[in-house]
Amino acid sequence: MFAVSPDVALLVLGLLLLLTVIAGNLSSRFGLPALIGFLGLGMLAGVDGPGAISFSDYALTQNIGIACLIFILFSGGLDTHWKDVRRVAAPALVLATVGVMISAGLTAGASILLLDLPPFQAFLLGAVVASTDAAAVFAILRTSGLDLHGDVPALIEVESGSNDPMAIFLVGAALLFIATPGASPLMLVPDFALQMVLGTLTGLAVGYLLPELLKRSHYRNAGLSFVISISAALIAYGLAELPGGNGFLAAYVAGLVAGNRTYTAKRLVSTFQDGMAWLAQVVMFLTLGLLVAPSNLVDIIAPGLAITVILMFVARPMSVFICLAPFRRFDWRAKLFISWAGLRGAVPIVLATFPMVAGVPGAFTIFNVVFFVVLISSIIQGPSIKWLAARLDIASRTGAEGPRLPDPALPPATGTPD
């Protein structure tokens, strides 16, 4: 193994980041989600591509993914208006919990039949792919120019930002049952409640204190507000995780609370965190692309396609129609669009590293199937979202043309940061 000098390593890293952004931009021009370009560049740079970079550290990938998801969720919370959350809180909560369980169960059943996986491994696969991805959903909805009717966009965004905790809990439960076959599901209920409560309370506290700190400290250097916002996201995650709470939920709630309060540096912090979220996506997808060897996907093409079809056309639609049945303001068109807009992205792939790190039997197959499902569903669903919105007549306009209305939650642009 040859040694690489630090200057060469930094040069290669800089070039990879730049090329990844260019690849994401090119994929967007063809109507594909940017994550396809990010992943594609990573795979080209990987062991099976011309870059020939050998990378197989699943534990490091998991840690990188966790760090990146913190900033993606924090930024997503900053950009979500509280009035939207209040309108869709009930249906979003049902989708983010019961909906995830329904999707996981249906996908698990299909995995037993199609992949011949043992029941717990099949449930693990179902849990990994059950949640929608905040990064993918935020990116598609905020760059597509869609102006959707009613509460549909708010529901999609709030659900995607809040359903990761349930998926993570189900993955942890599956890993527990695999390691301890005699474990009772009832023993997990208090743990789940503790995760949700501690995550929510921590997020509320950090989200309240961030604006207070920026308002009271009178920082004259605007760059320090960026540092404080980074620390807030990391502190929210860490403070929640230490006593057993859900750090991802805490990061999202902290961003949500901070984003709906008023302080002078708000516009700067929001813009900076948006950049941090994009950087996190680039780094995360590039790393995931490096990790996957396309040659490993050949053997799972047929079952991977079958699982993708089940997830896109059976599991996700059934979970949406069942969970939204009590909420009459969402008609069948809205439910169909919400089903189709439940994009998968980096979260399932990051979660798929957990069984790899834990040494679960069949984990390599699960990881490759999850990667294949995310890749194919993104290629199919991402470009067709605008077309489907037009066909269902739930969009006022499609395309990014037209003036962008100012955000009423942000202070005037003439404000001077503290």
Side-chain angles (χ1 to χ4, degrees), residues 369-393:
V369 168
V370 169
F371 187 91
F372 187 83
V373 168
V374 170
L375 192 65
I376 298 302
S377 63
S378 297
I379 291 174
I380 295 174
Q381 290 175 276
S384 58
I385 283 182
K386 291 174 66 174
W387 173 85
L388 183 63
R391 294 285 294 181
L392 295 175
D393 193 28

Side-chain angles (χ1 to χ4, degrees), residues 83-173:
K83 62 180 181 180
D84 294 333
V85 175
R86 285 185 298 180
R87 291 201 316 268
V88 301
L93 180 62
V94 175
L95 272 178
T97 52
V98 179
V100 170
M101 289 190 287
I102 293 174
S103 290
L106 292 174
T107 306
S111 301
I112 293 174
L113 297 175
L114 299 173
L115 298 176
D116 197 28
L117 289 175
F120 285 140
Q121 276 86 342
F123 179 69
L124 177 60
L125 173 58
V128 166
V129 298
S131 69
T132 58
D133 185 72
V137 171
F138 291 155
I140 287 292
L141 291 184
R142 293 174 184 178
T143 60
S144 63
L146 281 174
D147 184 12
L148 300 175
H149 298 332
D151 295 333
V152 170
L155 176 58
I156 294 172
E157 289 200 14
V158 174
E159 179 213 357
S160 68
S162 58
N163 62 12
D164 293 338
M166 174 57 78
I168 294 169
F169 172 76
L170 293 179
V171 169

Side-chain angles (χ1 to χ4, degrees), residues 198-221:
L198 288 179
T200 302
L201 292 177
T202 304
L204 289 172
V206 174
Y208 175 81
L209 291 175
L210 171 61
E212 290 298 312
L213 180 61
L214 291 175
K215 285 192 295 186
R216 296 173 185 272
S217 300
H218 302 292
Y219 290 102
R220 297 302 174 189
N221 188 337

Side-chain angles (χ1 to χ4, degrees), residues 254-268:
L256 179 63
V257 174
N260 285 275
R261 301 195 63 207
T262 301
Y263 53 98
T264 308
K266 183 174 182 179
R267 184 181 295 276
L268 290 175

Side-chain angles (χ1 to χ4, degrees), residues 217-254:
S217 300
H218 302 292
Y219 290 102
R220 297 302 174 189
N221 188 337
L224 291 177
S225 63
F226 303 160
V227 178
I228 293 173
S229 69
I230 291 175
S231 68
L234 296 175
I235 289 172
Y237 177 85
L239 275 181
E241 287 285 333
L242 281 177
N246 191 287
F248 294 116
L249 179 61
Y252 179 72
V253 172

